[in-house]
């Protein structure tokens, strides 16, 4: 009898997993279940071109709807999996439908951390930036001259700040840490982006948290900051991190540690259940980590597809990431976790790259409008090559020669 593979979560990873199963020749039934109304779509433009109004909704879709029909992938949107019966190998949906599975994949992604209602997080005019409905809901707020407070100086907050500034809004961004991008980048990269935003008129306040939002008639009108400053605002965007969607896995008794723990074969603690993308915790260089990126969602999901078909798989991510702010494209190769040394390399016209080392080993590169540094850095990291930091930082050295040394 034909096998049935069920995929819970119809986002970047879920869609990649379903497509890869067919590409690898899986002939059984595939059901891809998503609780959002839209078919699988890409999120990166939500804080970039889509927020800017430069991209139509249909351009966000990862595949046209016909694709799922052509590939005989049953796509159920607007329905959520409510629980997993591992012993019976079944999932139950909110609609009441019950599906048997031979193998199950959890690609449930993550959700934004929200501000608690006790500090005004439930006021109208306060928006997270995660989904298409989130961004559509805030579209009418983006009128020129409007005053927006952005809470959180990570990539999403900074990208939203760039869009808001470009659209003529008055932008204040608060970051509780001592500098923007503190969790993910070296001070040199933070300095680059702080200067960029300030040059576009964004008021960046670091080491400053939000104490509370204040509203009138249920709508936000003011923000009180940790230094007791009060700002009059028209709306607020919240970009203070994400939490993995692992509740289903917890309820099903799978091993969960701030995400669904999987091995290099993408298997959870139940060998019939795989997980991939933002919701999964995977082994990486002796540690258990979560990677919140398109690269990982696709690559890990494709590895999961192969593993579900019984192929020999070992997923070892080669992380890369990007961010667009104004006319700057940041490209990141590798993962800088554990670095103890950083060198910068100036490029042309204000471009710059930041190279992260642990001892003498090159770990990662942040390349700001420096595609060549990104490309060379990525190839060096993949090949396990580490040029000496003083060679890298010397702008008279042609980067490409580093590959052949
Ligand atoms: P998702 O794409 O979130 O998909 C998970 C889906 O599962 C969601 O639709 C969710 O609603 C659904 N789901 C959850 N539980 C259930 C359930 N029980 N039943 C049914 N469905 C369920 N990454 C980059 O690499 N570069 C970028 O520039 C970048 N920019 C970003 C900008 C924004 C605004 C955001 C929000 C993210 C950005 N990311 C970026 C991150 C990237 O989009 C994510 O890492 C990626 O989407 C993860 O894919 P996923 O499939 O794991 O999760």
């Amino acid at each position: 009898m034909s096998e049935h593979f069920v995929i819970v979560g119809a986002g970047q990873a879920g869609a990649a997993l379903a497509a890869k199963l067919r590409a690898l020749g899986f002939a059984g039934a595939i059901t891809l279940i998503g609780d959002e109304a839209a078919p699988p779509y890409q999120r990166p433009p939500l804080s970039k071109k889509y927020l800017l109004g430069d991209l139509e909704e249909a351009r966000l879709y990862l595949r046209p709807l016909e694709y799922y029909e052509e590939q005989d992938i049953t796509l159920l949107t607007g329905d959520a999996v409510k629980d997993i019966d591992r012993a019976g190998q079944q999932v139950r949906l909110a609609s009441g439908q019950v599906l048997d599975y031979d193998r199950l994949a959890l690609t449930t992604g993550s959700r934004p951390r929200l501000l608690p209602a006790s500090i005004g997080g439930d006021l109208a005019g306060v928006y997270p930036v995660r989904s298409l409905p989130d961004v559509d809901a805030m579209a009418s707020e983006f009128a020129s001259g409007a005053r927006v407070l952005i809470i959180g100086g990570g990539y999403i907050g900074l990208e939203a700040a760039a869009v808001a500034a470009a659209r003529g809004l008055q932008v204040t961004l608060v970051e509780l840490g001592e500098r923007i991008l503190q969790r993910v980048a070296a001070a040199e990269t933070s300095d680059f982006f702080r200067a960029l935003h300030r040059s576009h008129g964004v008021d960046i306040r670091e080491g400053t948290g939000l104490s509370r939002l204040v509203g009138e008639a249920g709508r936000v009108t003011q923000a009180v900051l940790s230094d007791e400053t009060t700002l009059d605002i028209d709306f607020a965007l919240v970009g203070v991190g994400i939490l993995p969607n692992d509740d289903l896995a917890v309820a099903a008794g799978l091993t969960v540690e701030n995400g669904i723990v999987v091995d290099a074969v993408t298997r959870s603690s139940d060998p019939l259940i795989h997980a991939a993308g933002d919701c999964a915790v995977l082994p990486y260089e002796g540690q258990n980590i979560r990677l919140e990126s398109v690269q990982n969602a696709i690559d890990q999901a494709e590895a999961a597809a192969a593993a579900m078909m019984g192929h020999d798989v070992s997923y070892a991510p080669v992380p890369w990431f990007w961010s667009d702010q104004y006319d700057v494209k940041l490209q990141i190769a590798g993962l800088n976790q554990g670095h103890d040394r950083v060198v910068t390399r100036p490029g042309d016209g204000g471009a710059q790259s930041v190279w992260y080392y642990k001892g003498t080993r090159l770990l990662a590169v942040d390349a700001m409008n420096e595609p060549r540094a990104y490309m060379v850095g990525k190839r060096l990291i993949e090949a396990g090559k580490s040029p000496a930091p003083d060679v890298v930082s010397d702008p008279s050295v042609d980067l490409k020669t580093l590959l052949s040394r």
Side-chain angles (χ1 to χ4, degrees):
M1 210 181 75
S2 144
E3 286 188 298
H4 186 197
F5 287 0
V6 172
I7 306 166
V8 186
Q12 191 88 53
L17 204 161
K20 190 67 178 181
L21 283 172
R22 286 291 181 243
L24 290 173
F26 178 66
I30 303 174
T31 305
L32 175 59
I33 307 159
D35 58 3
E36 295 190 68
Y41 61 92
Q42 43 168 336
R43 296 183 193 278
L46 295 180
S47 51
K48 307 179 182 76
K49 280 193 168 169
Y50 186 74
L51 189 59
L52 202 52
D54 272 1
L55 206 66
E56 284 169 29
E57 176 176 327
R59 298 279 304 278
L60 298 176
Y61 299 165
L62 293 167
R63 310 261 185 185
L65 274 176
E66 307 83 69
Y67 169 85
Y68 302 95
E69 249 181 71
E70 281 160 17
Q71 295 293 317
D72 198 14
I73 295 167
T74 305
L75 173 63
L76 304 178
T77 51
D79 204 351
V81 170
K82 285 297 179 193
D83 45 53
I84 303 168
D85 169 4
R86 283 168 54 197
Q89 287 178 232
Q90 289 185 326
V91 291
R92 191 176 55 80
L93 278 61
S95 58
Q97 205 175 339
V98 174
L99 299 174
D100 294 328
Y101 66 81
D102 292 291
R103 296 239 175 200
L104 183 67
L106 300 177
T107 50
T108 47
S110 53
R111 60 187 184 281
R113 271 180 206 278
L114 301 175
L115 297 182
S118 57
I119 63 163
D122 59 345
L123 291 167
V126 181
Y127 302 94
V129 193
R130 177 76 196 171
S131 68
L132 201 40
D134 290 342
V135 175
D136 288 343
M138 69 179 80
S140 61
E141 307 275 10
F142 275 69
S144 180
R147 298 157 303 179
V148 59
L149 173 69
I150 297 180
I151 303 147
Y155 288 119
I156 288 182
L158 290 171
E159 289 178 356
V163 169
R167 292 185 60 178
L169 277 72
Q170 297 176 50
V171 188
T172 306
L173 183 147
V174 289
E175 165 55 52
L176 184 59
E178 70 186 28
R179 57 182 173 83
I180 55 169
L181 299 176
Q182 187 168 7
R183 193 175 65 87
V184 288
E188 289 78 354
T189 299
S190 303
D191 293 347
F192 181 96
F193 283 100
R194 184 187 310 104
L196 177 70
H197 280 274
R198 289 198 171 143
S199 74
H200 285 84
V202 175
D203 178 0
I204 291 192
R205 305 191 188 185
E206 295 163 300
T208 307
L210 172 78
S211 289
R212 62 186 186 280
L213 296 171
V214 180
E216 267 174 40
R219 189 181 159 91
V220 69
T221 53
Q222 281 189 326
V224 182
L225 306 183
S226 56
D227 58 8
E228 290 304 317
T229 320
T230 297
L231 298 177
D232 292 330
I233 60 171
D234 296 307
F235 71 107
L237 301 185
V238 185
V240 294
I242 58 176
L243 299 166
N245 287 327
D246 55 16
D247 302 4
L248 266 182
V250 171
L254 300 177
T255 304
V256 169
E257 288 164 17
N258 184 34
I260 306 162
V261 177
V262 297
D263 59 17
V265 187
T266 73
R267 267 181 326 219
S268 73
S269 53
D270 178 336
L272 296 183
I273 305 181
H274 295 247
D278 281 7
C279 68
V281 174
L282 69 151
Y284 182 81
E285 304 205 341
Q287 293 184 49
N288 273 350
I289 60 165
R290 269 192 326 105
L291 291 169
E292 301 163 2
S293 71
V294 166
Q295 167 274 322
N296 179 62
I298 295 173
D299 294 350
Q300 196 180 21
E302 293 191 343
M308 288 165 80
M309 289 178 66
H311 296 189
D312 218 1
V313 166
S314 180
Y315 174 58
V318 185
W320 57 263
F321 188 83
W322 78 96
S323 174
D324 298 325
Q325 296 167 46
Y326 311 101
D327 56 354
V328 173
K329 180 169 245 354
L330 164 69
Q331 294 167 290
I332 303 174
L335 211 61
N336 66 24
Q337 205 164 303
H339 71 271
D340 51 24
R341 182 168 182 194
V342 166
V343 291
T344 57
R345 179 185 166 95
D348 294 337
Q352 185 178 307
S353 54
V354 176
W355 300 64
Y356 298 83
Y357 285 83
K358 182 174 188 179
T360 54
R361 186 174 155 222
L362 177 65
L363 294 182
V365 180
D366 296 343
M368 282 77 88
N369 278 348
E370 271 282 45
R372 182 184 285 232
Y374 167 73
M375 191 270 292
V376 171
K378 186 162 184 272
R379 285 174 57 186
L380 288 168
I381 294 162
E382 281 168 3
K385 288 186 178 177
S386 297
D390 55 337
V391 174
V392 162
S393 59
D394 179 353
S396 71
V397 173
D398 181 352
L399 278 175
K400 280 210 170 141
T401 65
L402 299 178
L403 290 167
S404 50
R405 287 186 192 208

